[in-house]
Structure formats: C-alpha cells, structure tokens
Amino acid sequence: MDLFMANKLTNLSKNNPLTKPISGNPHQSENPSRRTFLKCSLAGGALMVSAIHIPAAARTGSNESHTAKPVRFPLLAIHADNSMTLFNCRSEMGQGATTIQAQYLLDELDADWSLLKQVEQAGADPQQFGPQNTIGAISSFLGWKFHRDAGAQLRQLLVNQAMAIWQVDAESLYTQNSYIYHRPTGQKLSYGELAGLLKDTTLPEKFTRKTPEQYTQIGRSVKRLDMAEKVDGRAKFGIDVSLPDMKTAVLIRPPVAGSQLISFDAKSVKQQKGVLDTFSIPQGVVIVADNYWHASLARKVANPVWNNSDFSNSSSHSLMQTFRGQLDTPAQKHNERGDFSTQLANAASEQRFELHFEFPFITHVTMEPMNCVAWQTESQLQIWAPTQNRNNAKQKLQELFELTPEAIDFNTTLMGGGFGRRAQEDFVVEAATIARQVSYPVKVIWSREDDIQHGFYRPLNAQKVSASVDDKGQLQAWQHNVASLSTKAWHFSLEERDTDGGDWIAYGGAEISLYQSEHFSCGVTLNKAPLHTGILRGISHGYTNFSREVVMEELAKKHKLHPLQYRQRHTDNERALPVLTKLRKACEPYEQQPNRKLGYAFGFEKAPKGPYQYYNAAAFVLTRSNNIWKPEKLILVLDHGTIINPDGLLSQVEGASIFALGMLLHNKITIEKGQVQQTNYHDYPLPRFGSQIPIELHTIESDAWPMGVGEKLQGTIQPAIANALTSISGHPITQLPISAEILQQHQIALD
Amino acid sequence: MIKLTINQQEITTQADPEMPLLWFLREEVQLTGTKFGCGQGLCGACTVLLDGKPIRSCLLPLAQAKGKSIETIENDNIPELQALQAAWLEHSVPQCGYCQSGQLMSATHLLQSNKAPDNDAIRSAMSGNICRCGTYERIAKGINQAALELAREI
C-alpha cells in the first residue's frame, strides 16, 4: 500500500503562500481536496520513487476540469550501477532549489553525494506533472517533509528487502554512502544491486526520519548542482532553446495598458528583410522572421494604431494623489481590535505619532528577458518556458485552448532570474497563441524595452502609520493604512485570481504585527487599473514592513530608548526575541562612537497556524572618514528555521543586500499618459560592481521548518539602511527611492 | 561574404552584415553562451573579446568583425578564463548564471592586461557588467583568486 500523505500536505498547504496567500489573510479558504502520496517502482532496472498527485476534481468525481487525472512525477531514480538521477520538480533560478531537494533526499536515503550523476527537469512528460510552482521561497519549505519522507521511505524499503534476502534482523544492518551492510558478516550490497533483487516495491508505512545529529547532507555547504554549467556557457536557459526550423517572433504590445489594436501596416512589415509572417493576436502585433535581428528591425515599420484605454488619462503622479486622499478613509479594514479612533483622539499630542510613506512602481528586470518557445504539432502543443509557475501556465493553456493535459508537452528550462516576474504566465500564453497560428516552432523574445514597459509591476502605494503611546513610550494604538492598486486580476495563482484573497499581495504585512498594541487597525483601499501588477521579491512586505520599522525606530528615538530594546519591549514572541537579543549583542562594538551611525530593523512572517514563519533583524553601520559617511557593514541575524546549505544561505543574503540597494536607491517606474516612461538600464539603473557591502551574518540554531532567504530579507534590509541614514540626517526616510540630493546633502557615499 | 575567426576557428558566412555579432553567435553558429540582456551595450551580458578587447557584441555589426578574432565563453583554451572558471566554481559565484559569461569575459580581459589588479582596477573593469542576483562580492573573490593562481603558475 502506498503511504498516504494527504494530511501532511493538506496541513502544509494551509500555510503555504502559494496555494493560499499567506499570513492573516481573512479571505482565504482552504481547498482540502488535494492529496499527494509517494510510490516506488522499478523501471528499466532503475528503482524510482515518485509522487502521485491527485487533483481536486478527480477525488470529488467532478468532470469540470481536464486536470482530474492523477499525475505522477518522479523524484529520484537509483540505477543498477548505483548512480542516481534527481528529477528536479522546482524551477531553478540560482536560488538552490535543485540542490536542496537532493540534500533532503540523499540525506535520508544515506546515499553517496558523488553518485548523484544526473539532474533532469521533471515535467517534460505530461504524466510527470505535479505541483511544482516555485514562488515565495517555497522549495526548502515544502521539501522539508516531502523530499525527506521520500528518501527515508526508500531507505526503509531497501533495509526491509535486505532483511528478507539475507534473512537477518534489522539491528544487524546499517546503511552508509549508498550501500547496505550486514555488520556481523561484513556482507554488503549497493543500493543499485539491491534494486535489481527487489521482489516488492511497496513503500513501508513504518519508517523514521533522521534526527539532526544524524544529518550528512542537511546543513552542509554542498556545491550547487547547477553551478558547473554556468561558468562555461553550457547552461541552457529558455532563450537558448533551439529547434529545427524554428523561427523567431517579436510582439508589439500596446504602450497604454488595456488598449486595443486598430490597425498596423502589415504590408510594409512583410517587405522587410527576413520577415516570414505578421498578424495580430489579442496581445498585440506579431512579427515572425528568420532571426531575432530581422524581426526586431521590422518593428520599426509596423506603425500600429491603438484605441487607447482610459488609463491614458493616468500617470503615476495622479495615481499617487488619489492614493494619498484615500489613506484617511479606507475601504476595507483588517484585523481591527480595540478602538483605535477613540484612543488616538484622546491621546495628548506629544503621545501621538504619524508618518506618511510613498513607494513607486518597480519592476523585476531579470537579466534574461522574457521568452518562450512554442510549437503546435499535430498531436501536441509543445512548450519550453523559463517559468516559476509551470502548473498555472499549463493550466491556463488548457483552459484557453480547451486542451487535455496530455495535449501539452510542457518543458521548464533554467531561468535567468525570476524575482516573481516569471510567476506570471503571460509570456507563455503569448508564445502558444502565436504557435497555434503557424506551422513551425517559434521562439518569442522580448527586448529589454518590452520587458521594462510590459512588466508586472510591484504596485505604486501610499501608506500612513499612526500610533499613540503611553508615558513610557509603550504602544497603545497602531494603525497602518495602505492605498494602492488591486492585484487580484493578475494574481500568480489561478485559484486566487479575481478573488479578494488575490489582493493580499498589495497590502500584506500591514495587517499583522508582532508589536503589541491594545488597539490595532489596518485599513486598505485598492483601485482598479489595467496596468499589470504582481509580486516582486519581498512582495508587499518590502514596503509594509519598511514603514512599520521606520516608525518603530522613530518612536524609540523619541523616547530615548535603544531601537532594538524598544522592539524587544513590544513583543513576547519566542522566536523574535532571541533574534533581537543576538543583534543587540552583535551591534555593541559599533555603538556609541562618534564616527559611526547605525540603523535597525526587524522582519517576520508568521502564518496564523503552522510552520510557515521566519524572523530576522538587521543593523546597518555607517562610518565617517574625511567627512564622508560610508557603509561599513550590514549585520544580520536570521532565524529562518533549519539551515540546509550554509553557503547557499550566505549567497542569498549577499544577493538580497544588493537587490535591496537597487530598490532603495534606484528603482522607479513612472507613468505618463498611461505609458511606462523607462525603457532600458540607462533609465532604470541597477546596483553595479562596487556596491557590495560587507556582511556579518549570524544565525539562530533551530530545528524548525526551513524558510528561504533571498526573498524574505527585502522588508528588513531596506528599513535598516534607511534608518541608518536617518540617524545622520535626522529626517526619517518615507519615500523610495531615496533621492541623490539627500545623500549628497549629508555626504553619504552609498551606491 | 564575411570571414572571421571564432575561438580559433575560421568561419565564412553570408549572414546579414548588419546583424549584431551577438545574434550571429547565438543564432547562426549556436554559441549560446553569450547572452542577450539589453541590446544597448548597457548590461555587459553579451561581452566577448574582439582581437583581445572586451566589446558588447549586441552593438557590433557582423561586418565590423570581418577579419577579426573573436573569443567567447565557449573557448576552452584561454589560461586566464580557465583560472577564472575554476575560481568561480570554488567560490560558487553564479546564482541564476545568466550574466556570468559576460562577467567572465570582462574578467578575462582584466587579467590579461593586469596580472595583479587592485580593487579599483577590478571595479573599473567590472562596472559594465550588471548582475541582478548580486554576486559582486564573489566575483571579486573569484578574480583575486584567479590572479593568485595564475601568478603561481608562472
């Protein structure tokens, strides 16, 4: 009998931001009708452990969905020569998802790391398609049980079979480095040999997972499996996929979001060198040519005429004005407790505090621009896509074109960056739409200008934080209001799309705080616009936590308390407190010195129930020499649960700090007459070599569920840096990006 | 008809002479290690060596490569590049990896022209290559280690 894992996965998905968005969302409703279990089989001499995923509709007997058939996706194969193949069921963008899956599996299996010879991307076969979306730092989290259980059960199966073959008891056996040993006789069998002798591949119901002191791979800085191919040009990203007779297409999309094409000059386009075809699809004007260069040249003569949407009357300036006006009268309220209004009205003026914040539209600019290869053959729609979200992308194709899962062959490639942009399926849908109108395989390539002007932007937003305190500075009332754009129309999960839950990514984090306050309110107003919005590394915590942490720092200073002590006084969370305590200690050598200034911040996420949570804190140290302030150090303390790969964690932290600098100092999309004004890296600059800041990383030892890191530090690093600048300038930073004038005025060298 | 040398191999082509070298490399001779990032010479992902100098191949018309020698990331016969690749693996430099071909070609030229670059020289040589994942700290470590390794071999 297969081991039934339904309960475990159902519990997981309750707190999984992918299936249901995240902490404290009052609108989420759990869909309990999913289950996944593990199965083992012998195929071509290899022992294979797979996950069998039964979608909701199959279990309820409903015919409404094509996705109703159980799907199998392999996790690991042990071959006769004892080598192994890992089937990567997540999307790899350098965050280490592939390697972490291998660490989980091989550790519990007691397998030899050097025998892991191949990594294959699962999902090439529709029968191997499972829940594989890679968003919100999820790979380390979900694999923690799933992949470890697969490894542990496989090991137990091998042990049980060896007991039967050798007619010995369990106590006389042990496993190590892909071998099983009979201690008294010294007999041994490799896992590969044993696989060939198996009579029964039923996974045992009784098995044990390792305890931390038994780990061999978990907690080890193993080299990432995708590293070697990334230094010599061999790595194949989506844009590198090539098929025989493949053509290249570009798409001219409407400059004003939500506009329709009226006409374009197809005749002139067709006369251009190399052009093979041109036609329109709902997304815009398609030009297909023999190569990218010819396709992009032909854009210049297409002269598309658009029926501009009402959004052409909007600008980022006018939107921000609207948002500012909505902060006092929020349309929705979340997690209200006590009586905020009365409390604030009765507070003396010196006990009240309020700050307004403004954050721009920003976009992802992954180094690899969006692209996708699609080919409609007689029997199948074939897709090669660098996507974080293959399940949704495939499901969307099934719905749009009324296809069965078997009619789509979906291949996920390596990705040149994701950061949330590749959670959207738009670029896959476009390519498929084009491919269905031509007889050859087609690769759609976005220019950098396409990428910047037709992104899924982190939404422009205004915030107001109001607080009142008692005589000692202790919070009495806290209100965090957000006005922004609605995000639900493009929510990365099809299940959440167009539901209220899908709007969470515009304000999430404002509605839940670890800082105790008797009276609490979060007010939200969201506006509709046709401009695409979406998740971007850090999601809404990137700005909601920024505001909270700037206000906490100001309140601490106002009451002459150490900013970290002030935070400690406002929480009794048992994982937050050690993080704050450790950071205070780490900062001591730098504090109270004339030529040093520090800023601090704390960050967390905590699902209402279950293990999806992390806690971290940062301090940014600036030092002055020759009257110039320069960054000296970013000190971080992390409790993100069990650490799977210490060096991988450090590389994510390093990257996150550079990414944070981009948002703090540079990133800003502006809109005039409904059109994005920025086009390329000259007007949407990013931090360059030399911007790196020395990092001092501390971690809290923990056996809690592991959480990702790169995505989760944006809401902490940014306010820590901003608060350090404030400690020099005296003025809290309430608008991003920070203007160059402020830095110049206070002689701060930060780039 | 254009003749050029790519990674020590002579190539004759009838491809469009106005086509940027980047697209010739990627689409005509399938050397896809060189990446498209911006098309405007702003990000450095398409960096290759042209007669030993780093250039942005997205801006250089194929015609201007006529008679020249091109080195790309696929070249396995450049000592500086080999030393850098080893150091890149040692320090686990790449994350998504997309920009790394360009980073490595810029760094190769740096070490070919300066055996012991200081921090300013490294910054100056590498500031044209954007890494969105933020691997700059490890790129610096990789360059320093490769320089040391090369000095040791002499």
Side-chain angles (χ1 to χ4, degrees):
Chain A
M1 197 191 111
D2 295 310
L3 187 87
F4 183 67
M5 292 185 63
N7 291 336
K8 289 167 190 164
L9 282 205
T10 304
N11 285 341
L12 257 181
S13 71
K14 262 182 192 162
N15 303 300
N16 167 3
L18 308 190
T19 52
K20 296 292 157 190
I22 326 187
S23 42
N25 178 353
H27 304 293
Q28 68 188 54
S29 62
E30 177 51 34
N31 172 0
S33 54
R34 285 182 156 189
R35 66 180 192 187
T36 302
F37 57 86
L38 294 163
K39 195 176 174 72
C40 195
S41 60
L42 278 161
L47 183 64
M48 177 98 89
V49 63
S50 303
I52 310 293
H53 178 64
I54 302 182
R59 297 214 300 134
T60 56
S62 149
N63 292 323
E64 66 196 49
S65 168
H66 286 307
T67 61
K69 288 181 190 167
V71 288
R72 167 189 293 254
F73 59 105
L75 302 173
L76 187 80
I78 303 173
H79 305 285
D81 66 358
N82 214 20
S83 70
M84 289 168 287
T85 301
L86 172 77
F87 296 89
N88 178 21
C89 74
R90 298 278 171 204
S91 299
E92 183 61 55
M93 52 203 124
Q95 83 283 36
T98 316
T99 311
I100 280 176
Q101 292 168 58
Q103 286 181 268
Y104 288 155
L105 280 162
L106 269 58
D107 197 325
E108 292 291 351
L109 183 57
D110 263 343
D112 182 343
W113 189 263
S114 68
L115 292 174
L116 181 59
K117 300 292 190 192
Q118 287 184 75
V119 178
E120 283 185 25
Q121 191 66 43
D125 180 328
Q127 288 304 314
Q128 300 179 348
F129 202 74
Q132 301 156 325
N133 297 335
T134 312
I135 299 148
I138 206 64
S139 307
S140 54
F141 181 76
L142 285 187
W144 180 241
K145 273 221 162 156
F146 194 66
H147 283 83
R148 280 168 69 222
D149 279 358
Q153 284 181 82
L154 195 52
R155 180 187 162 279
Q156 191 62 53
L157 170 67
L158 293 169
V159 169
N160 293 353
Q161 294 295 313
M163 283 163 62
I165 290 167
W166 285 333
Q167 292 292 307
V168 296
D169 57 18
E171 284 68 39
S172 65
L173 296 175
Y174 69 98
T175 53
Q176 194 174 35
N177 287 334
S178 293
Y179 278 85
I180 185 156
Y181 296 85
H182 182 234
R183 209 184 306 266
T185 62
Q187 264 190 306
K188 66 173 184 174
L189 272 173
S190 78
Y191 288 175
E193 289 168 327
L194 191 50
L197 303 172
L198 286 189
K199 301 251 179 331
D200 183 3
T201 57
T202 306
L203 285 170
E205 282 182 65
K206 266 182 80 175
F207 68 99
T208 47
R209 264 187 247 111
K210 284 185 176 176
T211 52
E213 67 277 8
Q214 296 173 310
Y215 293 154
T216 53
Q217 307 300 338
I218 294 168
R220 187 164 81 88
S221 287
V222 296
K223 292 281 177 194
R224 281 208 340 262
L225 296 164
D226 54 323
M227 195 67 78
E229 60 183 349
K230 288 179 172 177
V231 302
D232 58 12
R234 276 181 297 136
K236 293 283 178 233
F237 297 85
I239 203 167
D240 302 325
V241 171
S242 185
L243 301 177
D245 299 320
M246 186 180 77
K247 312 300 176 197
T248 306
V250 299
L251 193 62
I252 309 175
R253 300 164 189 84
V256 175
S259 304
Q260 302 301 315
L261 181 71
I262 297 171
S263 66
F264 76 102
D265 188 351
K267 199 175 154 197
S268 295
V269 171
K270 281 182 180 159
Q271 287 166 356
Q272 296 300 300
K273 202 165 23 177
V275 170
L276 301 165
D277 209 346
T278 184
F279 49 89
S280 69
I281 60 173
Q283 293 90 336
V285 177
V286 179
I287 300 171
V288 190
D290 56 349
N291 59 45
Y292 177 75
W293 174 243
H294 287 147
S296 58
L297 278 184
R299 294 167 78 124
K300 293 173 185 159
V301 302
N303 288 322
V305 179
W306 308 96
N307 181 8
N308 277 345
S309 73
D310 288 347
F311 194 60
S312 61
N313 300 318
S314 293
S315 66
S316 32
H317 184 73
S318 68
L319 288 169
M320 185 55 87
Q321 270 192 321
T322 305
F323 297 170
R324 274 185 215 125
Q326 295 169 335
L327 286 173
D328 289 332
T329 50
Q332 329 157 9
K333 295 213 172 152
H334 298 279
N335 292 351
E336 262 203 308
R337 64 171 183 266
D339 183 355
F340 173 85
S341 312
T342 311
Q343 181 70 26
L344 195 70
N346 293 339
S349 64
E350 68 274 12
Q351 290 175 328
R352 285 201 303 247
F353 190 80
E354 184 169 294
L355 278 180
H356 287 244
F357 295 86
E358 295 181 4
F359 298 86
F361 286 113
I362 56 176
T363 191
H364 311 73
V365 284
T366 58
M367 290 307 292
E368 179 193 20
M370 296 305 110
N371 65 81
C372 181
V373 172
W375 186 16
Q376 180 64 60
T377 69
E378 269 182 34
S379 57
Q380 272 192 323
L381 174 60
Q382 301 193 346
I383 300 287
W384 287 261
T387 172
Q388 290 175 250
N389 207 352
R390 65 187 91 170
N391 300 77
N392 270 16
K394 186 177 179 187
Q395 192 185 329
K396 190 75 185 176
L397 296 177
Q398 288 172 218
E399 287 171 13
L400 272 176
F401 305 127
E402 297 181 350
L403 297 171
T404 62
E406 293 76 17
I408 302 174
D409 177 17
F410 201 105
N411 303 272
T412 304
T413 66
L414 282 177
M415 290 178 296
F419 314 119
R421 174 62 182 89
R422 288 189 156 96
Q424 306 292 155
E425 77 282 0
D426 61 314
F427 60 99
V428 182
V429 169
E430 275 181 358
T433 307
I434 295 167
R436 287 170 67 81
Q437 300 204 23
V438 297
S439 57
Y440 38 78
V442 64
K443 183 196 289 183
V444 182
I445 299 179
W446 294 45
S447 68
R448 179 58 59 197
E449 289 78 7
D450 293 334
D451 176 73
I452 289 185
Q453 301 213 308
H454 301 280
F456 282 74
Y457 306 97
R458 190 181 82 170
L460 183 85
N461 70 97
Q463 296 174 55
K464 183 182 81 164
V465 178
S466 315
S468 74
V469 295
D470 66 16
D471 298 343
K472 292 174 184 151
Q474 206 68 16
L475 285 174
Q476 299 293 302
W478 179 276
Q479 184 188 52
H480 196 155
N481 287 355
V482 181
S484 185
L485 289 181
S486 169
T487 54
K488 64 183 173 188
W490 301 281
H491 194 280
F492 61 84
S493 158
L494 295 182
E495 287 176 18
E496 293 293 332
R497 200 166 289 178
D498 288 321
T499 69
D500 287 343
D503 267 336
W504 184 88
I505 58 180
Y507 65 86
E511 86 290 15
I512 177 169
S513 174
L514 287 193
Y515 300 134
Q516 292 154 343
S517 172
E518 194 183 338
H519 308 274
F520 182 91
S521 173
C522 168
V524 176
T525 309
L526 298 176
N527 301 267
K528 277 190 181 166
L531 189 75
H532 291 167
T533 52
I535 52 169
L536 192 150
R537 207 180 202 189
I539 316 185
S540 44
H541 292 86
Y543 46 78
T544 57
N545 203 55
F546 184 97
S547 307
R548 173 163 48 227
E549 290 302 309
V550 167
V551 170
M552 288 301 282
E553 191 99 340
E554 289 305 301
L555 286 171
K557 286 181 192 165
K558 207 176 154 193
H559 295 92
K560 309 237 179 310
L561 290 165
H562 190 292
L564 290 173
Q565 185 196 7
Y566 188 68
R567 289 168 173 94
Q568 286 169 314
R569 279 175 47 167
H570 278 92
T571 184
D572 57 5
N573 182 287
E574 59 185 18
R575 287 181 66 183
L577 283 170
V579 168
L580 291 165
T581 304
K582 196 159 194 165
L583 183 63
R584 266 194 89 174
K585 194 153 191 302
C587 288
E588 270 169 16
Y590 302 94
E591 287 170 340
Q592 308 292 332
Q593 294 177 24
N595 285 316
R596 282 204 172 100
K597 292 282 187 190
L598 284 86
Y600 310 85
F602 168 76
F604 78 99
E605 271 182 74
K606 186 176 186 298
K609 282 186 212 161
Y612 191 92
Q613 47 189 301
Y614 66 83
Y615 306 84
N616 58 46
F620 190 62
V621 186
L622 285 157
T623 29
R624 182 165 56 185
S625 68
N626 299 325
N627 283 325
I628 306 282
W629 289 100
K630 285 186 177 167
E632 180 178 351
K633 193 171 260 190
L634 178 64
I635 307 172
L636 284 159
V637 179
L638 270 58
D639 174 2
H640 285 223
T642 306
I643 295 167
I644 312 304
N645 188 324
D647 188 59
L649 182 142
L650 179 61
S651 75
Q652 287 294 302
V653 169
E654 291 165 354
S657 69
I658 302 279
F659 206 93
L661 282 176
M663 289 203 218
L664 272 174
L665 302 175
H666 305 294
N667 298 169
K668 183 178 189 175
I669 290 287
T670 54
I671 288 166
E672 293 291 340
K673 295 183 178 162
Q675 298 190 24
V676 171
Q677 298 298 291
Q678 288 68 29
T679 58
N680 210 315
Y681 290 121
H682 64 288
D683 51 15
Y684 196 83
L686 294 174
R688 288 179 180 263
F689 189 96
S691 58
Q692 58 269 35
I693 297 160
I695 286 168
E696 182 182 317
L697 177 62
H698 302 266
T699 52
I700 303 279
E701 201 171 315
S702 168
D703 57 2
W705 284 60
M707 293 290 301
V709 172
E711 197 254 321
K712 301 297 187 197
L713 289 175
Q714 293 308 315
T716 309
I717 295 177
Q718 292 181 49
I721 296 176
N723 286 336
L725 300 181
T726 300
S727 67
I728 293 169
S729 72
H731 300 288
I733 287 172
T734 57
Q735 283 188 4
L736 294 189
I738 298 165
S739 77
E741 289 77 40
I742 291 184
L743 298 179
Q744 265 171 13
Q745 192 189 337
H746 299 283
Q747 296 190 290
I748 301 164
L750 190 63
D751 53 10
Chain B
M1 196 87 100
I2 294 170
K3 254 189 175 175
L4 68 166
T5 306
I6 301 174
N7 298 336
Q8 282 118 38
Q9 198 183 339
E10 271 199 14
I11 288 176
T12 306
T13 176
Q14 292 186 314
D16 187 339
E18 288 174 35
M19 175 192 285
L21 177 62
L22 168 68
W23 295 105
F24 176 76
L25 291 171
R26 290 184 53 79
E27 295 188 335
E28 303 293 324
V29 292
Q30 306 299 324
L31 289 174
T32 55
T34 306
K35 300 301 189 207
F36 169 54
C38 70
Q40 303 284 342
L42 299 164
C43 75
C46 67
T47 305
V48 298
L49 303 184
L50 180 86
D51 285 349
K53 296 258 160 51
I55 56 126
R56 309 296 182 223
S57 65
C58 70
L59 291 180
L60 189 87
L62 181 60
Q64 287 188 33
K66 190 176 175 179
K68 311 265 189 191
S69 183
I70 314 291
E71 317 297 342
T72 74
I73 188 70
E74 287 90 352
N75 192 322
D76 57 6
N77 203 18
I78 306 175
E80 292 82 4
L81 178 56
Q82 288 171 339
L84 285 161
Q85 286 168 328
W88 249 235
L89 291 178
E90 165 109 23
H91 289 281
S92 297
V93 175
Q95 287 188 28
C96 89
Y98 192 78
C99 73
Q100 296 296 342
S101 300
Q103 304 279 1
L104 283 158
M105 295 318 285
S106 290
T108 296
H109 176 256
L110 170 67
L111 294 187
Q112 286 178 336
S113 54
N114 183 347
K115 301 286 175 215
D118 61 14
N119 288 345
D120 285 345
I122 295 175
R123 181 171 183 158
S124 156
M126 302 308 295
S127 64
N129 291 80
I130 295 175
C131 175
R132 183 58 161 150
C133 300
T135 63
Y136 300 130
E137 182 64 26
R138 290 175 188 236
I139 288 173
K141 284 182 183 157
I143 291 172
N144 283 321
Q145 182 180 318
L148 282 174
E149 289 296 325
L150 288 164
R152 204 170 294 165
E153 283 165 20
I154 291 165

